[in-house]
Amino acid sequence: MKNKLINFDIKGDARGSLIALEKEHNVPFDIKRVYYIFDTKDGVRRGYHAHNNLQQLAICVKGSCKFLLDDGISQEIYTLDKPTIGLYLEGLIWREMFDFSPDCVLMILADAYYDETDYIRDYQSFLEQVNS
Ligand code: T46
């Protein structure tokens, strides 16, 4: 899987911490959209889809959650529990997000505007596409 964790430099001083996200410096794509997921109810699992053509960077800016990534062959679980790391998502990857802490704010940067036709929401269709 090409997905990977990116560590961000902290611009810290006596007042506290600051992280800047910039195209090409620590975000490997042109940012067209930012959305965030918060107030996720206990026990909820989200996602259950892949994308045909979308790069994203997921950052848990508060609290924690987990990502299950599945490339059709193997599965990996990533824990996002600090605002200093981002999970880069690209390629044909099935994703599920779970174990959201009550205070979790999951921010996601994307390289394209929202487009429902880019989603593969059926797991069998996803597997067929992986193997085609
Ligand atoms: C992804 C994972 C990590 C919009 O109107 N605009 C948007 O930019 C997004 C992302 C969603 N929506 C609407 C579509 C649905 O009516 O918001 C509602 C919830 O979206 P969805 O069920 O797709 O949310 P998740 O948490 O399952 O998945 C989201 C992203 O959609 C997806 O691209 O990779 O987070």
Side-chain angles (χ1 to χ4, degrees):
M1 281 190 216
K2 291 181 191 160
N3 305 283
K4 59 178 185 212
L5 293 171
I6 297 175
N7 281 294
F8 306 126
D9 284 341
I10 304 172
K11 315 291 178 188
D13 59 28
R15 297 169 298 169
S17 303
L18 183 155
I19 287 173
L21 300 173
E22 296 182 336
K23 172 191 166 188
E24 282 164 16
H25 291 167
N26 51 10
V27 179
F29 53 78
D30 204 352
I31 303 159
K32 286 235 177 67
R33 177 167 55 110
V34 178
Y35 60 94
Y36 40 95
I37 295 167
F38 60 101
D39 196 23
T40 307
K41 306 306 176 211
D42 192 34
V44 163
R45 203 168 172 105
R46 304 184 62 119
Y48 293 101
H49 61 259
H51 281 281
N52 281 304
N53 188 22
L54 185 68
Q55 294 182 76
Q56 298 193 109
L57 185 63
I59 303 151
C60 205
V61 292
K62 189 170 171 62
S64 63
C65 69
K66 290 181 181 159
F67 266 76
L68 177 147
L69 301 182
D70 178 346
D71 64 3
I73 298 164
S74 60
Q75 298 189 336
E76 289 173 355
I77 291 176
Y78 292 87
T79 300
L80 299 185
D81 58 1
K82 44 180 90 73
T84 57
I85 53 169
L87 177 61
Y88 176 53
L89 301 163
E90 67 116 28
L92 203 52
I93 296 289
W94 186 265
R95 80 244 8 224
E96 295 171 21
M97 300 92 79
F98 60 104
D99 273 4
F100 288 85
S101 62
D103 61 345
C104 179
V105 181
L106 176 62
M107 181 176 76
I108 299 173
L109 316 183
D111 75 339
Y113 300 119
Y114 176 70
D115 176 8
E116 183 57 37
T117 66
D118 188 62
Y119 286 70
I120 306 163
R121 293 195 182 272
D122 174 68
Y123 189 72
Q124 285 309 315
S125 305
F126 161 72
L127 287 180
E128 283 165 23
Q129 207 154 317
V130 165
N131 295 313
S132 67

